[in-house]
């Protein structure tokens, strides 16, 4: 999730209505700045939530349905883009004692892991030690449960984006936007520890909102990540079985107020810029 320092209030207003979009052009050209002349024309609204809804993160099921987490309330929805409908799968307010759901990733076929915790939109702040990690298993009728082994991650301050590190080992990486680091979590044992950290991930200084690393995506042997308020898009070479850094933290692009993003297999990143209402 991302809040632009210079347009925090404008953004909160803008994001009060989130329109959910699907891009039909999969290989949109990379554009350095501004609106491209070949701006995709074939964008359509798949589903629109009520005013006040903040869609935070998405994952696509192999059947084409879209899972979305909401940050303004702890709800997971499934959107059917073929019929333009949405179905509430779960609300974790009671079970997780949480206000929000955040990062989500597919760890095994049709098994999705996601973050629950407290990010208060009105306060613009996260409650440390409020975070837990859940899974929903569509092979078992969409059964939703906390991952085994841990109740919460008391050391975490703001769990935000999530990506799979290693499917076989059941490992995910989760960004911590306040501490400016990346946690590694084992779905089977519940064991977790901080595995990556760098100045590029730490929150920007001199702005009221404490927000460093936001979205992250692993692709082949690199972890890519965005650091919204610093405007950085970066990567680091990692060991794909442990997540440890094997090379320097590299800045790939600057002036990218990026939040969550996805990547094509040939290495193009599609970065959402919430405060700007844009996709870069
Ligand atoms: C959404 O709600 C806010 C706050 O009530 C209001 O100011 C805004 O105009 C609404 N937006 C739309 C598109 O209805
Ligand atoms: C999360 O926020 C809710 C509502 O404000 C509160 O009841 C709950 O105690 C908070 N949880 C933590 C762990 O701070």
């Amino acid at each position: 999730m991302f809040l632009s320092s210079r347009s925090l209030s404008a953004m909160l207003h803008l994001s009060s209505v989130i329109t959910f979009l699907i891009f039909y052009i999969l290989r949109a050209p990379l554009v350095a700045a501004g609106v491209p002349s070949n701006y995709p024309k074939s964008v359509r609204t798949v589903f629109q939530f009520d005013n006040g809804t903040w869609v935070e993160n998405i994952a696509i099921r192999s059947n084409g349905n879209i899972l979305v987490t909401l940050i303004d309330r702890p709800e997971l929805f499934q959107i059917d883009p073929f019929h333009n409908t949405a179905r509430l799968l779960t609300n974790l307010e009671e079970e997780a004692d949480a206000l929000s759901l955040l990062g989500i990733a597919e760890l095994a076929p049709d098994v999705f892991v996601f973050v629950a915790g407290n990010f208060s939109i009105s306060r613009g702040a996260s409650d440390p030690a409020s975070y837990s990690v859940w899974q929903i298993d569509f092979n078992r009728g969409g059964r939703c449960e906390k991952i085994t082994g841990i109740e919460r991650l008391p050391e975490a301050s703001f769990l935000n984006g999530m990506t799979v590190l290693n499917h076989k080992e059941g490992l995910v990486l989760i960004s911590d936007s306040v501490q400016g680091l990346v946690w590694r979590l084992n779905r089977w044992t519940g064991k977790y520890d901080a595995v990556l950290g760098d100045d590029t991930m730490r929150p920007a200084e001199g702005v009221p909102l404490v927000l460093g690393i936001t979205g992250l995506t692993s692709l082949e042997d690199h972890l890519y990540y965005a650091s919204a308020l610093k405007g950085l898009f970066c990567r680091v070479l990692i060991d794909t079985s442990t997540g440890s850094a094997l090379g320097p933290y590299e800045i790939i692009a600057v002036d990218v107020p990026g939040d969550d993003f996805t990547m094509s297999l040939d290495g193009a990143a599609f970065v959402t810029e919430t405060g700007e209402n844009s996709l870069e």
Side-chain angles (χ1 to χ4, degrees), residues 13 16-17 51:
H13 176 72
S16 62
V17 176
N51 193 357

Side-chain angles (χ1 to χ4, degrees), residues 66-203:
I66 303 161
L67 302 176
V68 305
T69 59
L70 305 188
I71 202 169
D72 61 285
R73 53 190 192 268
E75 292 184 350
L76 178 69
F77 274 85
Q78 175 163 264
I79 294 173
D80 176 344
F82 312 107
H83 300 95
N84 299 353
T85 55
R87 184 161 69 88
L88 176 66
L89 297 178
T90 189
N91 177 316
L92 291 182
E93 191 171 346
E94 302 266 297
E95 276 180 279
D97 190 24
L99 298 171
S100 319
L101 301 185
L102 296 101
I104 182 167
E106 185 173 19
L107 189 45
D110 244 356
V111 180
F112 292 80
V113 179
F114 58 97
V115 169
N118 277 9
F119 180 82
S120 161
I121 294 177
S122 55
R123 283 184 285 123
S126 164
D127 289 337
S130 65
Y131 289 86
S132 54
V133 178
W134 295 72
Q135 74 172 35
I136 185 162
D137 186 345
F138 292 97
N139 308 302
R140 291 191 293 153
R143 189 187 159 100
C144 185
E145 59 198 350
K146 201 174 277 185
I147 62 153
T148 49
I150 45 164
E151 186 62 18
R152 277 180 204 285
L153 289 78
E155 300 85 356
S157 299
F158 183 2
L159 295 185
N160 193 335
M162 179 187 278
T163 189
V164 173
L165 170 63
N166 189 302
H167 291 276
K168 233 170 78 190
E169 308 287 333
L171 295 171
V172 292
L173 298 176
I174 312 171
S175 62
D176 189 320
S177 300
V178 163
Q179 294 185 38
L181 52 78
V182 174
W183 295 96
R184 170 185 57 193
L185 171 72
N186 183 314
R187 168 202 172 197
W188 301 114
T189 64
K191 279 180 64 176
Y192 61 92
D193 51 9
V195 68
L196 295 165
D198 184 61
D199 197 45
T200 51
M201 297 179 177
R202 281 191 273 279

Side-chain angles (χ1 to χ4, degrees), residues 14-66:
L14 279 176
S15 69
S16 62
V17 176
I18 302 289
T19 302
F20 203 79
L21 302 174
I22 288 225
F23 289 82
Y24 280 161
I25 297 179
L26 296 177
R27 285 170 189 275
L30 287 179
V31 179
V35 178
S37 55
N38 54 351
Y39 182 79
K41 304 287 193 301
S42 55
V43 174
R44 73 173 171 94
T45 301
V46 170
F47 183 79
Q48 182 150 10
F49 286 93
D50 291 342
N51 193 357
T53 304
W54 181 327
V55 174
E56 170 60 12
N57 223 311
I58 82 172
I60 313 293
R61 291 183 61 193
S62 52
N63 66 9
N65 285 339
I66 303 161

